[in-house]
Amino acid sequence: MSLHYGHCQRKRHTFVDSFMYGLDSVQKRFYNSKKTLKIPPTKVLNFDYGGDLVYDDYPLDLKEPKLELDGAQQLQHVDDLTKRLLSVEFGDGQDKLKRRIHDLVSKVQEHPLDIRSLEVIIAYQTVAIRNQIRHVLNFRKDKAAKTLLILRIQARKKHLRRLRSRDYEKFCWLCEELQMKYVPIPQYNRKPSKAATIKKTARQAALKQMFQKMHEFKLKLKEEKDEFLQLKQKELERIEKELEELQLEEDSHLLHVINVMKNGSILDLDGPPKPLKSRRDMILEHKFKLAEVISKEREAKAS
């Protein structure tokens, strides 16, 4: 069906049909028929540098009353339904957070009036940090919460560093109680360059190869040492047999043994030891002998 406006023939617009006939189906053209898919973030977000080994807080007893009503005498005279309505189970997130902070702080404080010691401040910050980590992981676009979380982690590290320098035993006990570890700030927080990374990789590969070769050389040296010890044992047995054949004792002097083996008095064992001649002295002595021979030949020819 079409509408005639003079000589022009136009198609009827969609909203005209909906206005005239009350059709709701044509309204779909104003909506997105294909729902946009929510793409998960590709960048991994973690807060392991904070030192928390667990992100889940300690188990909370939901039957306990709210922190504002804790210790109130009026709760003893009400029925069970009213107690349940005034308990943490029916409270909001802030009520549960306050109760969780109170339970954890009461474990580490020395007395009920201890509210400004380092361990109390660290316990309070730990509960707040773990509660905010879950929020930041669920709502990635909340940049203000992420910035506040980073500042809280840095402040807690500052207090942990102070407690570690003052009382190391209490520091270790507190880390074990809060299920966390202290991750110190690196001395150099500068991002290495590409050339430095390549040099570091090459240096590590060279050291690894050097240590491997040294290990192989030590194993080879150990095998050769075993072979040498066996050969040494055989040589010692042979020497003992020769000493028995020559009728000599084991503690005999080496020069005496050589003299006996050669059957002559070549070496003088009674006199002082003669100094050994150097190579230079031997060459000079040989030259003098040649000079004497040449001089004698000349004299013989002249006569």
Side-chain angles (χ1 to χ4, degrees):
M1 187 176 179
S2 60
L3 296 177
H4 297 275
Y5 299 96
H7 300 285
C8 298
Q9 186 177 3
R10 298 180 181 178
K11 292 184 178 180
R12 186 166 47 200
H13 202 266
T14 312
F15 76 89
V16 177
D17 291 337
S18 62
F19 178 76
M20 293 176 62
Y21 302 103
L23 300 175
D24 296 334
S25 60
V26 294
Q27 293 183 1
K28 292 182 180 179
R29 66 187 297 272
F30 298 104
Y31 295 94
N32 189 3
S33 59
K34 296 182 180 179
K35 294 184 179 179
T36 55
L37 298 175
K38 187 177 180 181
I39 301 174
T42 56
K43 185 179 179 180
V44 180
L45 184 63
N46 56 20
F47 299 95
D48 295 338
Y49 62 89
D52 294 285
L53 300 178
V54 292
Y55 289 160
D56 297 333
D57 293 326
Y58 295 93
L60 189 63
D61 189 5
L62 300 178
K63 296 182 180 180
E64 293 183 354
K66 297 179 181 179
L67 189 61
E68 294 82 2
L69 303 175
D70 195 8
Q73 298 181 358
Q74 290 80 359
L75 291 176
Q76 301 177 1
H77 305 289
V78 298
D79 54 350
D80 296 338
L81 182 60
T82 307
K83 287 183 179 179
R84 186 180 177 187
L85 291 173
L86 297 176
S87 64
V88 182
E89 182 181 358
F90 286 90
D92 55 0
Q94 289 296 324
D95 294 332
K96 295 179 181 178
L97 181 62
K98 290 178 182 177
R99 171 56 66 179
R100 197 170 274 121
I101 291 173
H102 178 266
D103 293 345
L104 186 58
V105 168
S106 60
K107 289 183 178 180
V108 300
Q109 63 183 175
E110 296 181 357
H111 50 83
L113 298 179
D114 182 16
I115 58 174
R116 296 304 300 170
S117 62
L118 287 175
E119 50 268 23
V120 172
I121 296 174
I122 292 170
Y124 175 82
Q125 291 176 341
T126 300
V127 179
I129 286 170
R130 292 177 182 174
N131 181 65
Q132 198 166 2
I133 283 176
R134 292 195 299 270
H135 171 78
V136 172
L137 293 177
N138 292 330
F139 302 96
R140 297 287 294 269
K141 293 186 179 181
D142 194 352
K143 305 300 182 182
K146 181 181 176 182
T147 305
L148 180 60
L149 175 61
I150 293 173
L151 292 177
R152 283 181 172 175
I153 291 174
Q154 292 174 353
R156 186 180 64 174
K157 278 191 176 183
K158 180 180 178 181
H159 291 106
L160 281 170
R161 188 166 61 251
R162 287 182 178 177
L163 181 62
R164 186 171 181 265
S165 61
R166 293 180 185 177
D167 194 347
Y168 186 74
E169 294 182 358
K170 185 176 286 186
F171 165 79
C172 296
W173 168 81
L174 184 64
C175 290
E176 185 177 357
E177 190 72 21
L178 299 179
Q179 297 182 9
M180 60 179 299
K181 64 178 180 179
Y182 175 68
V183 182
I185 301 174
Q187 186 177 4
Y188 299 102
N189 200 14
R190 185 173 56 187
K191 186 177 180 180
S193 61
K194 186 176 180 180
T197 307
I198 295 173
K199 287 182 180 179
K200 183 179 179 181
T201 307
R203 183 168 58 252
Q204 290 177 353
L207 290 174
K208 184 179 179 180
Q209 189 175 5
M210 183 183 69
F211 290 144
Q212 185 178 0
K213 288 186 176 181
M214 288 181 64
H215 181 66
E216 293 176 356
F217 178 74
K218 287 180 180 179
L219 294 177
K220 185 178 179 181
L221 187 64
K222 186 177 180 181
E223 295 177 357
E224 293 180 356
K225 184 179 179 181
D226 297 337
E227 295 178 358
F228 171 76
L229 291 176
Q230 294 177 1
L231 182 62
K232 178 183 177 182
Q233 186 66 24
K234 292 179 180 179
E235 289 293 326
L236 290 174
E237 292 176 357
R238 186 182 62 79
I239 291 172
E240 289 178 358
K241 289 181 181 179
E242 291 182 357
L243 290 175
E244 290 178 358
E245 293 176 357
L246 297 172
Q247 297 179 359
L248 297 173
E249 298 180 358
E250 294 183 0
D251 56 348
S252 299
H253 199 273
L254 180 61
L255 299 178
H256 180 62
V257 173
I258 294 173
N259 193 9
V260 172
M261 293 177 68
K262 289 187 176 182
N263 297 322
S265 59
I266 303 172
L267 299 174
D268 188 9
L269 302 178
D270 299 332
K274 297 180 180 180
L276 297 175
K277 294 181 180 181
S278 63
R279 184 172 178 272
R280 182 172 178 276
D281 295 339
M282 293 173 65
I283 293 172
L284 289 175
E285 186 178 355
H286 184 64
K287 285 183 178 180
F288 289 143
K289 288 181 180 180
L290 289 175
E292 291 179 359
V293 171
I294 293 171
S295 62
K296 289 180 179 179
E297 291 178 354
R298 288 179 180 177
E299 290 176 359
K301 288 180 181 180
S303 60

